[in-house]
Amino acid sequence: MSGWEDIQRAVGTADASLVADEVLRLGAEERREVARRLRPYIREARQAAHARFDAARQQAEAEEERAMREYVRERMDEGVAEKVAHQWWWEGHYYHHQRHVDWGMRNNWIGPLRVAGAGTLGGAAAVADWLVRRDFAEWGRNMPLEPLLRVIAARPVQWQADLATHLSGRLRATRLQLENGTVALALELLRRTGAEPPDHDPLVVAWVSMEADLARDPLARHLVPRLFEAEGVGRALRDDRIDAPSGRSWLRALTKAAPVEREVLTEGCVRRFLRGGSATDLRFFVRLHDLLDPAPSRERVGDYLRLLPAAPGPVAELALRMLRGPGLALSGEEVNEAVAALLFRSESKLVRAGLTLLDQAARDAGDDLDHLAPALASAFLCESYEVRERSVRWAVKHARRFSPVGAETVREAAAVLPPDLVARLTPAYGHVEPDAAPADAFEPGTLPAFEAPRRRPVRPAMENLAGTFDQLHHEFAFERWLDGFVRHPGARRPPAHTTDLYGAGEWHYVEQWTEALLREAAGPGQEPPVPREPESRAAESRAFESRERPGILTPGVRGGIAASLAELGLVLGGAERLDTEEPQEGERIFLTPVRKRRREEKPPRLLPIASAGRLPSSGLVSPPHRAMLQRCAEIHTALKEGTLPPYLLATPTLTSGHLDPAELVARLEGYERNGVRPLPADLGQALLRLPREVDPGVVARAARLTSEAGATLVRWLKARPEPVTSVEWPTEPGGRPRPRVRQEPTGVEFVDALFCDPPLHRPSHHGSYESSWWLVLPSDREVVAMHLIPHLYEGWEGPGRLRLHATRLCDQDGPAGEGMALLVGILLGERGWNAGQCRELLLRAVATQSLPAVECGRQLGQCLRLLDVKLGPVLKALGECARQGAHREVWQIMSGLLPVFLPQPGERGNAVHTRALEFAAEAAGWAGARGTIREVAGIAARDGSSGLIRAARRLDEHLGRA
């Protein structure tokens, strides 16, 4: 057998040690032959390994199949049904028989081939390329270190050193190379050969990713100085701590056993700081610098000063500590430089430290403080009011220690201060001439003009009913389809395609009802009876028989369930009959045990009592959604009973969703002439589509109608119902707003079902058709807004998903109240890709006079207090809207927001409340607002000088000006 054949056989065994033995036995000529044939052999070796894996897997599957047949046969002998026995096999606790085949068999050829190449390929560079080639980059395929080192050790010494250098240069410090042994092999070769490590940053990163043993590692003297130069070291060691529980700590190793002086390490840390980087990248070096604890040095003052303006916070704090160390006195120029750098930082701790440094410099100086005037001027420019106020107090305190020249410098710098601080500075320094208005002073723009959708006639009824029954996505497609179905009997052809319609007990989607109408028209009487329980529920009941059982409950128990759910805001369909009669045929209630839930969890979905028939109960779909289904259901019933009218009453005449009152009167006149009885839901929808203003002549004409429907229309025209709406908020954070719609019964069931409280949570079924709700209630946008509120926080999209629906309401009719205010307000807090469009909603609401601005502020304040709405995006949105001409409305929103949002008695204020007051003061100035806000005045009257109190005083003083 040739040497190549021996290598092939050894690779087939997946034993890298065996391959190493065969390689070491090869002669020079055989080595060259193996090296020549290795690369073409990669594909063959891979296919052979995959074939071995497939054979092993097929054998395991055959054994499983035999075991399953034996198990099923034994259970059947015991009297168990075959289907049940199979189910026990797959789902029961007997399923412990699976034969596992190691997926790693597919790649067990890689290690042996690596060894073969390392021992036979000629050049060191070629071997380095071979070891890290892409074909071998498989997770879980580690370098066989011992066999590799054996075959490499048989090579010449210089060749080994060259391989160590080449392999180190190919390191990328990736997780794969760390885990598969590439890094360990490269480092071990460098240690064994004594070769100098190449200047390669990933090599240093890979080295620090291993355990530190600096006292015995010959690489330490080469690589420790490079720790401060190589990119990626800080990030790799970002979590390193001297007290690490694992005992592995580079901080401990460097401070206890580093092969260089501590001064060299300190100098390296400072150099690394000056090179810059994120706080994460520099965290390790900050900790190392603190552990080294160098003494303050005059030579490094300049370096530490350079770190103050822009270095990450922890680095700047370190530099400040070194500058304030014992025995180190800063010159006036150095103090000015340090204070100027610190006062422009965003961290309040560093800003306060800058003022403390200024105060310390004043104590150490003599009677002349002119050299500190530039630092004081820098303090006046700080954005923080607290810093400005404290710097003014310092200036007044030390006014006599400034010469006339220094005082003039302070007076000129004070021109940027707000008027109240200038007034405190003037007695000590004289009159201060204020700066001209800044270039970015507020200038309101012109409110954008939004063109309202034109109210045009609605297109005629559809005639292609069979091809469009499931394509009713356009806003008027549903109405035109229903109109066409009723008007054109000849268009009622079988649907273009059908679904498993009759397998479902209830039809929750408009498309199900339109398909049912066509199928009933094409084959009258072919619809099977409504199943007592949908097949999906039956299957679920069987699968979870031990958890959920249908049954009949006594009236008292059912009444208790209804009362308990009512306390949670959940209404059971048919609850009015719970205490008076037994459940009707086809009704059902499912009781499902649920564990006690945490506050942040969603409430369990409860299946309410469902009435007989295909129409889902009111607890399963939203009221406007159910209204659309109800109209389909009554047309379906009329079709079966042969009582379809010649046309519908509720088909809108205008693209605003409205129905011309004169047209409705004409339609009712036609009904009376032909003796047609209106469909109840159709009449109710027609009433809701009437505009709020009706010509008196039309009212008089309607009064001449003689039918009951005509009388209902007259009552509606003379006294249109006006529901009272409100939003109730919980007292604890995390709760949801509860919409309320109150209206005395109108006598029209369809209307009463819409003028009622929406469910507290979005019903369980999707496909709610929110984009069509404005067509159901075109003259009652506030009621539509109330029905949209439960959908605000359902689904991954968040409130932003309702933007288009809320925008449409701006151009509809009816008063706008708390519901519209809540929708507009909560969308101001959007932070996603559609944040700009959500702000446009506010501008549209202002332009269309559909924004109750003060109420919007109240609702927004509740959102900020109780929901996951952040103040930052809200203020950004309000500022942009103010600059586009809505500045007066922005102030009205803030005047409603502050009494709700500001800390109540017993609550603690924070920076968010301060920011709200500061923005309100700006908005009040934009709008020229006057008039006291009681809650703001209460905070302003408190003792103290916190940022919250100062902001409240500023706003209160502005509002109180005559």
Side-chain angles (χ1 to χ4, degrees):
M1 185 178 291
S2 68
W4 168 242
E5 291 173 342
D6 291 338
I7 295 296
Q8 281 184 298
R9 178 183 54 79
V11 170
T13 65
D15 187 346
S17 294
L18 180 59
V19 174
D21 294 339
E22 295 294 342
V23 167
L24 293 175
R25 282 197 289 266
L26 294 175
E29 188 62 32
E30 289 177 317
R31 287 175 183 270
R32 285 191 290 270
E33 180 188 4
V34 171
R36 178 173 54 83
R37 305 181 86 173
L38 270 181
R39 290 183 179 86
Y41 181 65
I42 290 177
R43 181 177 180 182
E44 181 180 342
R46 180 189 294 113
Q47 291 175 345
H50 289 185
R52 290 192 296 271
F53 170 79
D54 292 340
R57 185 171 59 178
Q58 290 172 7
Q59 181 180 357
E61 290 174 353
E63 292 176 358
E64 287 183 23
E65 183 68 21
R66 286 194 297 270
M68 183 184 69
R69 287 198 299 266
E70 179 66 20
Y71 176 86
V72 172
R73 185 181 60 78
E74 291 176 357
R75 300 289 81 75
M76 292 176 64
D77 291 344
E78 296 171 359
V80 178
E82 181 179 3
K83 183 177 180 180
V84 175
H86 277 94
Q87 183 178 357
W88 285 0
W89 171 267
W90 292 111
E91 298 179 0
H93 60 275
Y94 305 101
Y95 191 62
H96 57 269
H97 47 268
Q98 186 177 15
R99 273 65 169 175
H100 293 280
V101 179
D102 184 9
W103 186 264
M105 286 180 61
R106 294 170 56 88
N107 298 318
N108 60 14
W109 55 276
I110 295 177
L113 272 190
R114 275 182 166 143
V115 174
T120 60
L121 294 175
V127 171
D129 290 337
W130 175 262
L131 292 174
V132 297
R133 64 180 295 131
R134 187 182 300 273
D135 304 85
F136 301 158
E138 295 287 347
W139 287 102
R141 293 297 95 193
N142 296 338
M143 292 276 187
L145 291 181
E146 190 275 334
L148 282 172
L149 290 173
R150 283 170 55 202
V151 297
I152 293 172
R155 297 297 191 99
V157 175
Q158 184 58 45
W159 186 95
Q160 296 180 43
D162 292 343
L163 175 61
T165 303
H166 286 297
L167 188 59
S168 300
R170 284 161 176 76
L171 293 181
R172 295 296 177 266
T174 62
R175 178 183 170 189
L176 176 60
Q177 289 186 338
L178 283 171
E179 294 185 352
N180 71 6
T182 304
V183 170
L185 178 61
L187 295 178
E188 183 62 23
L189 289 175
L190 287 172
R191 294 184 182 109
R192 290 192 176 195
T193 62
E196 183 175 353
D199 188 8
H200 185 53
D201 287 357
L203 170 63
V204 184
V205 176
W207 182 60
V208 300
S209 300
M210 310 294 284
E211 187 170 356
D213 187 9
L214 302 185
R216 292 180 294 179
D217 190 348
L219 298 179
R221 61 188 181 87
H222 298 287
L223 297 183
V224 165
R226 300 186 195 176
L227 294 179
F228 309 101
E229 310 296 335
E231 288 295 333
V233 170
R235 185 164 295 272
L237 296 176
R238 61 187 180 275
D239 296 323
D240 190 272
R241 307 186 68 89
I242 196 169
D243 56 350
S246 64
R248 292 181 53 183
S249 172
W250 276 85
L251 289 173
R252 183 186 299 114
L254 288 171
T255 54
K256 302 295 185 182
V260 296
E261 297 293 333
R262 296 171 70 90
E263 182 67 19
V264 175
L265 296 177
T266 302
E267 186 66 28
C269 289
V270 175
R271 288 201 318 273
R272 186 64 186 85
F273 297 149
L274 291 173
R275 291 180 58 199
S278 67
T280 302
D281 292 338
L282 299 179
R283 181 189 304 161
F284 170 80
F285 300 104
V286 171
R287 291 172 177 169
L288 178 59
H289 188 282
D290 289 343
L291 290 173
L292 294 172
D293 192 22
S297 169
R298 165 55 62 180
E299 289 75 16
R300 294 202 185 101
V301 167
D303 292 335
Y304 289 129
L305 285 174
R306 289 166 57 192
L307 294 174
L308 292 180
V315 178
E317 292 177 16
L318 177 152
L320 182 61
R321 287 198 304 270
M322 297 306 298
L323 291 172
R324 298 171 65 179
L328 188 64
L330 300 180
S331 66
E333 291 183 359
E334 291 170 341
V335 171
N336 286 331
E337 183 179 353
V339 172
L342 292 171
L343 293 181
F344 280 97
R345 299 214 38 127
S346 59
E347 301 91 340
S348 58
K349 179 179 180 180
L350 291 174
V351 173
R352 290 194 299 270
L355 292 176
T356 303
L357 187 61
L358 181 65
D359 201 44
Q360 178 183 349
R363 288 197 304 269
D364 296 341
D367 293 335
D368 185 5
L369 297 184
D370 286 3
H371 62 286
L372 297 180
L376 184 59
S378 299
F380 289 167
L381 291 170
C382 185
E383 294 182 359
S384 169
Y385 183 89
E386 178 184 2
V387 172
R388 288 179 165 188
E389 193 268 343
R390 183 174 167 183
S391 63
V392 167
R393 283 193 282 114
W394 187 93
V396 172
K397 176 182 177 181
H398 299 288
R400 296 186 179 183
R401 300 174 66 184
F402 285 98
S403 70
V405 175
E408 179 64 23
T409 302
V410 174
R411 186 165 53 250
E412 292 177 356
V416 300
L417 294 173
D420 57 327
L421 296 183
V422 169
R424 295 166 61 177
L425 197 68
T426 298
Y429 290 88
H431 175 70
V432 175
E433 189 67 31
D435 278 351
D440 60 346
F442 177 79
E443 293 184 6
T446 303
L447 193 68
F450 295 93
E451 183 178 356
R454 298 183 62 180
R455 300 191 173 188
R456 300 173 178 172
V458 175
R459 295 168 58 190
M462 284 188 183
E463 296 186 8
N464 179 21
L465 304 179
T468 58
F469 76 95
D470 59 348
Q471 301 174 19
L472 307 180
H473 311 299
H474 187 269
E475 50 194 9
F476 291 102
F478 172 67
E479 294 294 337
R480 293 177 56 230
W481 196 97
L482 288 184
D483 189 24
F485 184 87
V486 175
R487 284 183 182 272
H488 306 306
R492 301 169 190 166
R493 301 184 181 89
H497 58 273
T498 59
T499 63
D500 185 20
L501 181 66
Y502 300 132
E506 297 170 349
W507 296 335
H508 299 92
Y509 303 97
V510 165
E511 292 77 10
Q512 291 176 302
W513 285 97
T514 53
E515 179 186 350
L517 288 171
L518 291 177
R519 292 173 69 169
E520 178 64 28
Q526 295 184 9
E527 178 184 345
V530 181
R532 289 179 58 85
E533 184 175 3
E535 181 59 30
S536 59
R537 173 58 71 179
E540 184 179 344
S541 298
R542 290 194 297 270
F544 299 96
E545 185 177 358
S546 62
R547 297 194 319 168
E548 183 177 88
R549 298 178 181 272
I552 301 297
L553 302 177
T554 64
V557 173
R558 291 185 288 148
I561 293 173
S564 299
L565 294 178
E567 294 178 359
L568 299 174
L570 302 173
V571 180
L572 281 175
E576 67 277 359
R577 303 192 308 276
L578 285 176
D579 293 321
T580 58
E581 58 184 74
E582 290 295 314
Q584 300 293 315
E585 178 67 22
E587 292 184 343
R588 62 189 185 278
I589 182 170
F590 288 92
L591 299 181
T592 303
V594 296
R595 62 182 173 82
K596 185 176 180 182
R597 62 187 179 90
R598 295 186 293 271
R599 177 174 298 173
E600 65 271 14
E601 292 179 329
K602 281 189 174 182
R605 297 298 190 186
L606 300 180
L607 182 66
I609 295 178
S611 60
R614 303 286 190 178
L615 190 65
S617 105
S618 58
L620 292 179
V621 292
S622 301
H625 179 186
R626 192 172 191 273
M628 298 171 66
L629 302 182
Q630 190 174 353
R631 293 188 60 210
C632 296
E634 71 174 6
I635 294 175
H636 188 256
T637 301
L639 177 65
K640 287 183 173 182
E641 297 174 352
T643 58
L644 268 182
Y647 51 83
L648 296 176
L649 298 176
T651 303
T653 56
L654 296 175
T655 53
S656 62
H658 289 97
L659 172 59
D660 184 1
E663 175 64 20
L664 177 57
V665 173
R667 291 174 183 177
L668 284 174
E669 289 172 345
Y671 272 30
E672 291 184 358
R673 284 194 301 269
N674 298 320
V676 178
R677 184 176 182 180
L679 301 177
D682 187 37
L683 176 61
Q685 180 64 87
L687 296 177
L688 289 171
R689 285 186 170 146
L690 292 174
R692 290 179 165 268
E693 297 180 2
V694 181
D695 185 87
V698 175
V699 178
R701 180 180 165 192
R704 294 194 288 271
L705 295 171
T706 58
S707 63
E708 182 182 348
T712 301
L713 172 60
V714 172
R715 288 195 300 271
W716 185 278
L717 294 177
K718 290 184 176 180
R720 189 187 194 284
E722 197 65 70
V724 178
T725 60
S726 61
V727 177
E728 296 180 358
W729 285 89
T731 57
E732 296 293 330
R736 302 288 178 84
R738 183 167 188 176
R740 294 289 193 182
V741 181
R742 302 296 189 188
Q743 172 63 48
E744 293 296 325
T746 63
V748 182
E749 183 180 353
F750 185 88
V751 174
D752 293 341
L754 290 167
F755 287 176
C756 68
D757 289 347
L760 182 60
H761 295 275
R762 182 182 183 182
S764 59
H765 286 275
H766 296 288
S768 299
Y769 305 100
E770 296 109 320
S771 60
S772 298
W773 290 4
W774 65 275
L775 279 172
V776 178
L777 295 157
S779 296
D780 296 276
R781 59 179 160 198
E782 177 66 10
V783 177
V784 178
M786 288 291 171
H787 285 296
L788 287 173
I789 289 175
H791 297 241
L792 281 171
Y793 275 96
E794 298 293 343
W796 61 269
E797 304 99 325
R801 61 183 292 271
L802 299 182
R803 175 187 60 82
L804 290 176
H805 311 322
T807 300
R808 183 73 205 210
L809 297 181
C810 293
D811 299 304
Q812 294 306 113
D813 293 345
E818 295 182 16
M820 278 292 294
L822 174 55
L823 290 181
V824 175
I826 198 171
L827 289 176
L828 290 174
E830 279 295 289
R831 292 166 282 179
W833 58 270
N834 62 346
Q837 295 169 317
C838 291
R839 296 162 192 164
E840 185 180 290
L841 171 62
L842 174 62
L843 298 174
R844 180 182 287 272
V846 172
T848 56
Q849 299 181 352
S850 58
L851 176 69
V854 176
E855 184 59 45
C856 180
R858 295 193 188 101
Q859 298 298 327
L860 183 54
Q862 295 285 14
C863 293
L864 291 169
R865 286 180 65 87
L866 303 174
L867 300 181
D868 186 25
V869 178
K870 305 301 181 184
L871 182 68
V874 169
L875 297 186
K876 180 179 179 181
L878 290 175
E880 292 183 5
C881 291
R883 287 177 171 79
Q884 296 184 61
H887 50 288
R888 295 183 181 86
E889 288 76 13
V890 166
W891 162 247
Q892 292 172 8
I893 290 174
M894 293 303 299
S895 67
L897 180 147
L898 291 177
V900 176
F901 178 62
L902 290 177
Q904 305 298 316
E907 294 181 352
R908 189 184 184 96
N910 54 41
V912 178
H913 298 117
T914 303
R915 182 71 189 98
L917 284 168
E918 292 172 348
F919 179 84
E922 296 178 13
W926 300 339
R930 297 293 183 268
T932 301
I933 298 177
R934 180 169 55 86
E935 290 77 7
V936 176
I939 296 176
R942 298 178 186 175
D943 296 332
S945 60
S946 67
L948 178 71
I949 295 175
R950 291 197 307 272
R953 287 171 181 168
R954 178 186 171 196
L955 175 58
D956 190 57
E957 290 174 3
H958 176 87
L959 296 177
R961 295 172 187 167

